[in-house]
Amino acid sequence: MSLNRLIFKNFFRNLKNYGLYVFALVFSVSLYFSFVLMSKDDSAADELASGTMMSTGFLVGSVLLIIIIVTFVMFANSIFLKRRNTELALFQLIGLNISKVFRILLLENAIIYFGSLIMGILFGFLLSRVLLMVLLSIMQIELSIGLNFSMEAVIQTAVLFIAIFILLLAQNFLFLKRTKLIDMITLDRTNESDNRRLGTGTLIMGVLGIGMIALGYYLSTELVDSIAIIIPLTFAVLGLTIVGTYITFKFSVSFLLNIIRKSKRGHVNVTDVLSLTRIMFNIKSNAFLLTIISIISALSIGLMSLAYITYYSVEQTVENTMPRDYTFYDEEGLDYYATLLNEAGVDHQFFTVKTTDAVVKEEGAIQGDLESLGFDEPELNMAVVSDADFDGISLQPNQTVITGTSTLVGSFIDYTVNEGVTFVGDDYERTLELIDVEDQSVLSNMVSYGSPVAIVDGTVYKELMENRPQEIQGDLERTMYAIDITEGDSMEIFNLMDREDRPAFASKIQQYTTQMQANGLAMFIIAFVGFSFLLTSGCILYFKQVGESEDEKGSYTVLRKLGFSEREIIKGLSTRMVITFGIPLLIGLLHAYFAVNAGWFLFGTEMWTPMLIVMGVYTVLYSIFAVLSLLYYKRVVRESLN
């Protein structure tokens, strides 16, 4: 038989084994091509507030995606090689040298790889249209999606996967070169587990791993209060968490499962045989892989949560920082646009609010760690306005209300209602009772410069302005000129006002649109990369379960002969799936929670709702792979028992 005939005959005989490999390749090509094709869509880029925003975001995302895809494809190839080790060994036994066996793999891989490349591009084209519609919906852009195709995206994808193909050939050659013939024959029979006795050393290391993770969690809660050493403390948290996670998989999980097994005093059932005993050693032998999956899962969930927190908080953030629809830099701008709106028949109200700056002490109603924020003195600058400028607000001379307390400032400063707020000057001091605290500011950020704003009685306002400390720089008094559209603002009104030759202004609807686009794009890219890792890591665990199920076919037959029913065997395998997929997911969720909790206030106004939504979606999608693995196990069990 000629070598070429042997290659093609062997290829068609192994089509069943190629299924997982083909899926991995088509899936990877589809992900990357759809991502690149979206970045080349000029019609979508033209709709963005910034022309370079889309290309920059997709460039960063594509780099991360390449790393994920290369790792995933090479891992899938290693599993594929392991499943064919006996066949490759037989080729050598019948007289084929390594170069000829490598030629067989080369031609087979070329057929599979480039066929998968074509299929992946076709699926990726359809996927890109769906994903682009999702992206535009997130960014609140109304645009019809056409069937735009880019040869540049095809070439870019082809170049990447040709490079990956070369890496795979190198991986195949090294496998054949380094693996001895006898090892290749027995590779699928080798036991990955470490059968050494779990003794005192395992106990010590197990407790150490959990302790390191717990210490890392604790230090993460102290980051906000330790600004001066935040960089070394952050690295300490990362080091403790990563190393602790590895030790936990290597020792802690095995030790805990061993305790459960020993508590049964030898009375084990089929569930214990198929789950606890097997997993106890499998997790230990795969500790590095599971650590990588847990850490990157935590990174993915954390970044997606922070991105969604920012996106979720856009409306509230804009409301808190821009109380009026339009804010102008001077009175001339206010008059100009008031006239323009009158001529266009747009009903509106205009507002002028005067403000001055004051200094308050860090005592009484205001408590915080101002030193960590860089303040030399325990005093805080604050904008002050008079209640006379606001309808419905009337304060006594001894009362004040503080507005514009952002989540970020609130993480360092606490405001206590019914306590005193002490305003100070060079030779002046006045204490007012704080009767309320509000997130939304009464001044635009362009006037308050982001500081909290205190509302006081009109007479007190004049008194504070006259006794303002000399060290405060800037105007003695500033004015916010603003307009509110009576029946609600719209992009039509904004476009009516927005002209290059007209006075500049700040618009709430423009800021909202810009932030929704920027944050929506960032969230989409982070979510795409994050869920790409979810799918690849889920596939990796699924592939490993498929390989183990094939290796254990004989075990199921033995268990059936011992009297265990198919239902009992499936129950034991179900427990294994819960533990195998559940432990990395649980650790990843815990890591993500403490990471998000440490700094979410830098990104938005609400943590729990966006974070729980991300975690819930991630968990559901991740669980699909556990279900698929169990279904495959069921099929293998039924085949082995028949």
Side-chain angles (χ1 to χ4, degrees), residues 610-640:
M611 183 182 70
L612 290 177
I613 290 174
V614 170
M615 288 184 172
V617 173
Y618 197 95
T619 300
V620 170
L621 294 177
Y622 188 88
S623 301
I624 291 175
F625 293 97
V627 174
L628 292 175
S629 299
L630 182 60
L631 293 175
Y632 192 90
Y633 265 106
K634 285 184 177 181
R635 184 164 66 90
V636 173
V637 169
R638 291 193 180 100
E639 290 176 355
S640 63

Side-chain angles (χ1 to χ4, degrees), residues 28-48:
S28 301
V29 174
S30 299
L31 276 181
Y32 186 76
F33 181 72
S34 62
F35 196 78
V36 173
L37 190 58
M38 283 190 292
S39 69
K40 306 296 183 183
D41 196 299
D42 295 332
S43 60
D46 292 341
E47 292 293 323
L48 296 178

Side-chain angles (χ1 to χ4, degrees), residues 238-253:
L238 292 174
L240 287 168
T241 303
I242 294 173
V243 176
T245 301
Y246 176 77
I247 294 175
T248 296
F249 280 119
K250 193 72 175 177
F251 299 99
S252 305
V253 176

Side-chain angles (χ1 to χ4, degrees), residues 68 71-72 75 79 241-242 245-246 249 282-283 286-302 304 530 532-545 579-592 618 622 625:
I68 293 173
T71 304
F72 173 59
F75 184 86
I79 294 177
T241 303
I242 294 173
T245 301
Y246 176 77
F249 280 119
N282 276 2
I283 287 183
N286 294 308
F288 181 75
L289 173 64
L290 295 175
T291 298
I292 295 296
I293 290 176
S294 296
I295 295 300
I296 302 185
S297 291
L299 183 63
S300 300
I301 296 171
M304 285 190 289
S532 297
F533 172 78
L534 161 67
L535 295 174
T536 53
S537 61
C539 286
I540 287 172
L541 289 177
Y542 174 74
F543 291 168
K544 289 189 69 66
Q545 298 308 309
I579 298 175
T580 300
F581 285 86
I583 291 179
L585 175 62
L586 178 61
I587 292 177
L589 291 174
L590 286 173
H591 288 354
Y618 197 95
Y622 188 88
F625 293 97

Side-chain angles (χ1 to χ4, degrees), residues 23 34 59 63 137 198 214 290 455 538 571 610:
F23 170 79
S34 62
L59 176 62
V63 172
S137 176
L198 301 178
L290 295 175
I455 306 175
K571 181 180 178 182

Side-chain angles (χ1 to χ4, degrees), residues 1 24 38 53 77 81 146 174 179 195 212 228 267 274 283 338 362 389 397 403 415 438 491 521 524 549 575 601:
M1 182 183 296
M38 283 190 292
M53 181 170 58
N77 186 59
L81 286 174
L174 290 175
T179 308
N195 290 308
M212 291 178 70
H267 301 288
L274 291 174
I283 287 183
E362 184 201 350
D389 289 327
T403 68
Y415 299 93
E438 298 177 359
M491 288 304 298
L521 178 63
F524 176 83
S549 68
T575 303
F601 49 83

Side-chain angles (χ1 to χ4, degrees), residues 488-553:
D489 197 13
S490 65
M491 288 304 298
E492 288 76 13
I493 297 175
F494 170 76
N495 292 330
L496 172 68
M497 299 173 59
D498 186 31
R499 298 288 189 275
E500 291 184 2
D501 57 343
R502 293 175 178 175
F505 61 86
S507 164
K508 180 189 292 186
I509 195 170
Q510 180 193 34
Q511 186 168 345
Y512 173 80
T513 301
T514 301
Q515 290 192 26
M516 286 295 289
Q517 289 186 1
N519 295 327
L521 178 63
M523 184 183 72
F524 176 83
I525 292 174
I526 291 173
F528 189 94
V529 175
F531 283 117
S532 297
F533 172 78
L534 161 67
L535 295 174
T536 53
S537 61
C539 286
I540 287 172
L541 289 177
Y542 174 74
F543 291 168
K544 289 189 69 66
Q545 298 308 309
V546 168
E548 290 180 7
S549 68
E550 295 291 340
D551 296 339
E552 295 173 1
K553 278 185 176 181

